[in-house]
């Protein structure tokens, strides 16, 4: 999962390098750079290169696809009382929500005005997320269920704020990560 972020970072670096090259070539040494005709900064191919890089960058919704997956895994880990795994998925869920806020900090709300995603995230980060974490720490299944549902309510309040009321989460019935054993007592592989 880190790969996505790493690829994106590399893409941004490459974009930066090309933009840097463009800046240098157009403002400082245009003749020299044009003669060199390096692939990093060729003004002739610049628009096409930029378009290509933009094509490579995943859409804004990408982190949220992962949030959906991790939040579902969090539920199943909690159901199996696999608390270390639940803790892992809680952290992954939180990280990806933060990434979404970073990518798309001000989507339009229902009234067309931008919505401050960071402050909505901060509310959840200081509210329900620590409560889910606490339930995991205390290994308290009942409290986990209560707080998990609150978390889903807060997911939905952000979706409504961002004019996406049709993205209504639910307690997942299926979709656990199939390659991971959720059983905390599993004995294989050693
Ligand atoms: C800070 C605001 C915010 C929070 C909190 C939030 N979301 Fe989202 N979510 C969004 C936005 C914005 C989109 C639409 C992304 C886009 O279209 O670029 C979205 C889209 C989604 C999608 C659809 C992804 C797809 O394209 O298939 C899922 C699934 C999802 N969120 C799940 C969740 C879950 C589960 C939670 C809580 C654990 C959550 N979200 C919390 C803002 C939020």
């Amino acid at each position: 999962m880190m790969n996505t972020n790493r690829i994106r970072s590399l893409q941004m670096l490459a974009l930066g390098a090309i933009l840097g090259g463009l800046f240098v070539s157009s403002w400082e040494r245009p003749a020299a750079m044009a003669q060199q005709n390096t692939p990093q900064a060729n003004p002739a191919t610049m628009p096409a290169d930029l378009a290509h890089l933009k094509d490579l960058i995943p859409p804004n919704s990408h982190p949220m696809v992962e949030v959906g997956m991790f939040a579902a895994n969090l539920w199943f880990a909690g159901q199996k009382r696999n608390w270390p795994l639940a803790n892992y998925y809680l952290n992954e869920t939180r990280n990806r929500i933060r990434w979404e806020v970073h990518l798309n900090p001000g989507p339009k709300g229902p009234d067309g005005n931008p919505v401050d995603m960071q402050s909505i995230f901060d509310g959840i980060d200081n509210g329900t997320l620590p409560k889910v974490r606490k339930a995991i720490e205390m290994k308290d299944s009942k409290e986990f269920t209560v707080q998990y549902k609150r978390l889903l309510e807060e997911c939905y309040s952000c979706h409504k704020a961002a004019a996406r009321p049709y993205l209504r989460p639910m307690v997942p019935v299926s979709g656990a990560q199939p390659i991971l054993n959720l059983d905390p007592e599993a004995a294989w592989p050693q």
Side-chain angles (χ1 to χ4, degrees):
M1 289 305 140
M2 280 305 294
N3 283 348
T4 315
N5 290 353
R6 206 170 297 141
I7 289 168
R8 182 180 289 272
S9 306
L10 287 174
Q11 286 162 356
M12 294 316 276
L13 269 179
L15 193 62
I18 288 187
L19 285 175
L22 177 63
F23 182 81
V24 169
S25 67
S26 54
W27 292 94
E28 282 185 5
R29 302 180 286 132
M33 290 299 286
Q35 271 165 18
Q36 278 179 12
N37 197 21
T38 58
Q40 288 87 357
N42 181 350
T45 60
M46 198 68 64
D49 289 347
L50 274 177
H52 179 58
L53 280 172
K54 281 185 185 161
D55 279 349
L56 292 176
I57 295 176
N60 276 351
S61 60
H62 186 80
M64 268 296 149
V65 177
E66 293 187 354
V67 170
M69 195 174 78
F70 293 143
N73 293 339
L74 168 62
W75 171 255
F76 292 114
Q79 293 315 290
K80 293 281 184 188
R81 303 182 56 81
N82 190 336
W83 302 116
L85 186 63
N87 187 50
Y88 170 81
Y89 278 129
L90 180 66
N91 289 336
E92 292 293 278
T93 303
R94 178 178 180 273
N95 285 345
R96 294 315 187 281
I97 301 176
R98 283 181 62 210
W99 186 246
E100 173 76 26
V101 169
H102 181 71
L103 279 184
N104 194 8
K108 280 188 187 154
D111 58 3
N113 291 323
V115 180
D116 182 1
M117 293 279 104
Q118 184 66 51
S119 64
I120 297 180
F121 172 73
D122 289 345
I124 299 173
D125 202 30
N126 295 311
T128 308
L129 278 174
K131 289 186 181 148
V132 179
R133 189 179 303 285
K134 183 90 189 157
I136 292 172
E137 271 168 28
M138 304 302 288
K139 306 183 175 169
D140 184 340
S141 291
K142 217 174 134 205
E143 182 67 4
F144 176 82
T145 301
V146 171
Q147 296 304 337
Y148 184 90
K149 287 184 179 166
R150 291 232 172 100
L151 179 62
L152 292 190
E153 286 165 9
E154 295 198 340
C155 305
Y156 190 49
S157 68
C158 190
H159 293 169
K160 281 189 292 185
R164 287 157 174 92
Y166 44 84
L167 295 176
R168 187 191 293 271
M170 64 177 189
V171 173
V173 286
S174 67
Q177 166 64 271
I179 199 70
L180 284 188
N181 194 334
L182 297 176
D183 180 359
E185 310 295 335
W188 182 89
Q190 283 293 335

